[in-house]
Amino acid sequence: MRRIETKISNSELDIFHVLKENQLYRINEPKPGIFIVESPVVIERALTAGFEPISFLLEKELLSEKIENMLAPYGQIPQYICTSKELQQITGYQMCKGMLAAFSYKEAKGVREICDGKKRIVVLENVMNPTNVGAIIRSAAALNIEAVLLTKGCANPFQRRATRVSMGNVFSLPWTWMDTYTTDMVSLKEMGFTTISMALSDRALSLADFQVEPDKPLAIIMGTEGEGLAQATIEASDYVVKIPMAEGVDSLNVAAASAVAFWALSR
């Protein structure tokens, strides 16, 4: 087992706390690079989903029989060990529940490939906050959404904050980037999906009254945190639906709204 007790100043640990996430993504250009996952629970879910680890960084105090068992199949992968005090030098507080891991990206799948045969998917349009992306994916996994499509203006679901907030569901729920938004939306309609924009609009139907056929494939479209969906997206959708609100409240945060919409539309 390649277990290495070291200091946080070791340059081999730069990927964990020196290089920024966009630098890590580009480290193997033109191929996608690497991403960092934190906490034993989320790391275990990445491993279970078949992602290839590059190295691990652990607090010495964290080592336990459970962690040993989790790492046992990866004996040839470097396992860097630092003290809790060493790791706290990065942020000034106890970080990441004592464990980080670097992983390689898998080859991305296409829109048609991950949506084929699905009944409920979500399309995220320019959702830029990784916390919201992670929360939406966690809700999607819990509420029977079968795939996630993201425009290129969205935060990367493999950002550390997104993977953590999703509780590792980004590794099991199929997702991919949309190549050309308009083309891919046409592809969804060709595959039989009815498109539903979640938006405030004069033609919006109340989610409380909206009826859908249980077996009809639906693509639920959610917009960016501030401005919502683009007007062109709303106009091109088969339906526009809004969540009924109490008087004086305009809308919910996109992550909260997604959970409500998923529950109502996936029953």
Side-chain angles (χ1 to χ4, degrees):
M1 184 172 292
R2 296 187 60 192
R3 185 158 290 169
I4 306 160
E5 293 203 25
T6 186
K7 298 289 187 180
I8 203 67
S9 56
N10 183 343
S11 62
E12 293 181 2
L13 303 185
D14 285 356
I15 59 173
F16 293 108
H17 67 106
V18 175
L19 297 181
K20 297 184 183 299
E21 287 178 303
N22 62 343
Q23 293 175 303
L24 293 173
Y25 184 81
R26 295 183 173 88
I27 206 167
N28 294 329
E29 284 187 329
K31 295 182 178 181
I34 63 178
F35 60 95
I36 306 299
V37 179
E38 61 183 60
S39 93
V41 170
V42 181
I43 290 169
E44 185 172 31
R45 289 179 177 172
L47 294 170
T48 300
F51 284 87
E52 180 184 347
I54 296 169
S55 61
F56 300 95
L57 174 60
L58 303 92
E59 286 185 7
K60 187 174 184 178
E61 296 84 350
L62 182 72
L63 292 174
S64 65
E65 183 178 357
K66 182 177 180 179
I67 297 297
E68 295 281 4
N69 291 338
M70 183 173 75
L71 297 179
Y74 308 97
Q76 299 306 308
I77 305 299
Q79 299 174 18
Y80 297 101
I81 310 296
C82 291
T83 65
S84 175
K85 185 177 180 179
E86 275 280 308
L87 289 183
Q88 287 180 38
Q89 290 180 17
I90 299 174
T91 58
Y93 58 88
Q94 186 173 10
M95 58 174 285
C96 65
K97 297 188 178 179
M99 188 174 185
L100 293 164
F103 287 90
S104 298
Y105 277 84
K106 290 183 180 180
E107 184 176 354
K109 295 182 178 180
V111 168
R112 285 184 176 270
E113 185 177 0
I114 74 163
C115 293
D116 184 42
K118 304 295 194 298
K119 294 298 183 183
R120 297 290 185 272
I121 68 168
V122 61
V123 177
L124 301 185
E125 182 183 280
N126 301 334
V127 179
M128 297 172 284
N129 187 316
T131 298
N132 283 336
V133 169
I136 291 169
I137 290 176
R138 183 176 183 180
S139 294
L143 297 167
N144 302 310
I145 302 300
E146 300 165 283
V148 181
L149 306 181
L150 304 100
T151 65
K152 292 181 179 178
C154 289
N156 187 336
F158 283 175
Q159 285 184 256
R160 278 170 59 173
R161 207 152 31 121
T163 61
R164 180 178 69 245
V165 172
S166 82
M167 287 301 295
N169 285 293
V170 295
F171 304 121
S172 56
L173 185 67
W175 68 268
T176 195
W177 297 107
M178 302 179 82
D179 184 21
T180 303
Y181 188 36
T182 302
T183 301
D184 285 331
M185 291 303 291
V186 169
S187 294
L188 291 178
K189 292 197 174 187
E190 290 174 349
M191 295 172 69
F193 281 92
T194 295
T195 54
I196 299 176
S197 283
M198 299 299 301
L200 299 175
S201 167
D202 292 339
R203 72 181 182 99
L205 304 171
S206 171
L207 183 62
D209 303 322
F210 187 68
Q211 300 288 325
V212 294
E213 300 174 33
D215 294 330
K216 183 71 174 177
L218 297 182
I220 305 163
I221 311 172
M222 312 291 299
T224 187
E225 295 86 346
E227 299 177 359
L229 292 172
Q231 188 60 35
T233 300
I234 295 171
E235 292 173 357
S237 298
D238 295 313
Y239 296 97
V240 183
V241 175
K242 64 182 178 181
I243 299 170
M245 296 282 156
E247 185 176 353
V249 180
D250 291 332
S251 62
L252 294 171
N253 165 274
V254 65
S258 72
V260 175
F262 298 161
W263 181 84
L265 296 172
S266 64
R267 289 182 293 166

